[in-house]
Amino acid sequence: MPATLAPTAAPLAAVYFDGLTSRRHRVMLAVEDGVARVTGEAERRCPLADLRVSEASRHGARIVTFPDGAFLEIDDKAAFASLLASTGHRGTLVARMQQSWRATLLAAAGMAVALLLLWRFALPLLADAVAAAVPAGVEQALGKRVLEEMDRTYFAASTLGQAAQARIAAQFAQLTQSMRLTAGADGAPPYRLLFRKSRIGPNALALPSGQVVLTDELARLLQDDGDALTGVLAHELGHLQRRHLMRRVVHGAATGAAATALFGDASAMLATVPALLLDLKYSRDAEIEADDFAAGAMAAAGLDPERLAEALERLAGDGGHTAAYLSSHPDTAERVARLRNRRP
Ligand SMILES: [Zn+2]
């Protein structure tokens, strides 16, 4: 039997649907000279090139679709394959179908990867670039506005004694002084320590203006360990140095803030910041950056970074009173372990 040489294969049974009704037409499908011929309860001819071989149907039959939406269901997959093979169109029809699926999947996967990369790398880079480009004047205005807002709602004048304030201020000055000596003064904002009595409990926060606010409650909590308190302030300076708040602001407000930061009208961006700062939760990466900075600054000032680890543990152990500080400074246990591991 000259099957391999035959220009045509035996016609095979199929069911024809007109694409408009659910009526089943029993037909035979043959292929001659690149043209599919349907005979039986329905009759039509169509160039193979215009047919589409679709995915298998629910019960596994192959589907061949005509340009007008009519289609054939073919149960005998083996016979269908040999029919296609015998016509020499197998390569075009089946491969075209598979390639189009492959191409679609590849395109979809490629798009997903591109979006992921954009989200993961390009947006933070853009936000960082914008945050770094925020003019000092905008940062000053931002810090002033935030402090006014927080003074109005959360802070009152400090009740810490003059002697205690002077002692902490001296340690803070020593810290910033040694930072300038080691890291250079370039671009460093003028750091200032402010004391406030707080309605939000023990806390310390750094404003974009370079002001670091220390609440009386946190000062009293760590009053017997000045180095630990200095460590916490160094950590806040780390957030400032790495511009974490500005990056958050820019991320949060996206393009609007970018335009604002670049083109000067800061009022829209300013409005969002007090709320952001109060509801602030820095990322784990930001905390670790600030810790690393603090450990380096402490070492440069002749202090043991272990004091910061201890301060974090004490804040964590204090439970509810330090909820505000801890909620804005997560992952305490991991950070303590990391601070201790970096010690020589
Ligand atoms: Zn922090």
Side-chain angles (χ1 to χ4, degrees):
M1 219 173 115
T4 54
L5 297 176
T8 60
L12 58 86
V15 179
Y16 176 85
F17 294 87
D18 61 14
L20 302 170
T21 69
S22 60
R23 182 166 166 212
R24 300 163 64 87
H25 306 263
R26 306 197 149 280
V27 296
M28 299 300 287
L29 169 65
V31 175
E32 289 164 10
D33 298 329
V35 175
R37 188 157 56 84
V38 173
T39 54
E41 294 177 9
E43 308 260 342
R44 71 182 292 177
R45 301 165 67 87
C46 182
L48 275 187
D50 293 344
L51 291 175
R52 206 154 41 79
V53 179
S54 314
E55 63 204 293
S57 72
R58 272 195 306 280
H59 50 281
R62 300 301 295 265
I63 306 292
V64 175
T65 308
F66 292 82
D68 61 3
F71 60 94
L72 291 165
E73 259 187 25
I74 300 154
D75 283 328
D76 191 342
K77 280 175 279 187
F80 181 57
S82 71
L83 175 71
L84 289 177
S86 73
T87 66
H89 282 267
R90 181 178 180 279
T92 55
L93 249 176
V94 176
R96 197 175 65 209
M97 179 267 288
Q98 287 174 342
Q99 277 163 8
S100 88
W101 271 100
R102 235 173 255 144
T104 305
L105 282 174
L106 271 176
M111 182 67 80
V113 168
L115 285 174
L116 205 63
L117 288 174
L118 185 73
W119 177 77
R120 177 70 180 79
F121 296 109
L123 282 184
L125 281 178
L126 184 65
D128 291 353
V130 170
V134 171
V138 171
E139 287 187 317
Q140 291 299 321
L142 199 56
K144 185 167 176 285
R145 166 71 184 273
V146 171
L147 188 61
E148 283 170 3
E149 178 72 19
M150 296 190 87
D151 272 341
R152 203 167 54 76
T153 40
Y154 296 99
F155 293 152
S158 173
T159 61
L160 215 58
Q162 288 296 322
Q165 285 197 17
R167 195 179 63 240
I168 297 168
Q171 283 174 317
F172 183 78
Q174 187 199 348
L175 185 71
T176 55
Q177 185 63 28
S178 59
M179 280 167 53
R180 289 209 164 79
L181 289 176
T182 54
D186 297 345
Y191 299 118
R192 272 161 296 145
L193 183 62
L194 304 177
F195 296 91
R196 291 289 191 276
K197 184 174 162 45
S198 156
R199 281 171 215 167
I200 52 174
N203 216 330
L205 40 96
L207 304 177
S209 50
Q211 294 167 313
V212 177
V213 181
L214 171 66
T215 69
D216 293 356
E217 293 75 11
L218 183 60
R220 292 202 173 99
L221 199 67
L222 297 176
Q223 64 186 345
D224 59 338
D225 189 346
D227 290 357
L229 184 55
T230 306
V232 172
L233 296 176
H235 173 91
E236 292 304 318
L237 290 177
H239 282 312
L240 264 187
Q241 277 276 317
R242 307 288 180 232
R243 305 173 86 85
H244 290 151
L245 180 60
M246 287 312 295
R247 274 147 77 170
R248 281 290 303 268
V249 171
V250 173
H251 270 269
T255 51
T260 294
L262 291 175
F263 303 121
D265 172 17
S267 58
M269 185 165 75
L270 287 172
T272 68
V273 175
L276 178 73
L277 196 64
L278 287 177
D279 194 32
L280 185 61
K281 188 175 227 155
Y282 282 128
S283 70
R284 177 183 158 282
D285 287 352
E287 291 307 325
I288 283 171
E289 273 189 1
D291 283 344
D292 285 350
F293 176 88
M298 291 178 80
L303 304 175
D304 187 350
E306 167 66 13
R307 296 276 90 75
L308 174 56
E310 286 171 8
L312 291 175
E313 283 186 330
R314 286 178 66 179
L315 290 170
D318 191 60
H321 296 297
T322 47
Y325 183 80
L326 290 177
S327 74
S328 60
H329 295 79
D331 306 306
T332 304
E334 182 194 353
R335 291 170 53 203
V336 168
R338 201 166 176 285
L339 277 166
R340 295 205 161 124
N341 282 338
R342 83 191 294 284
R343 298 176 71 204

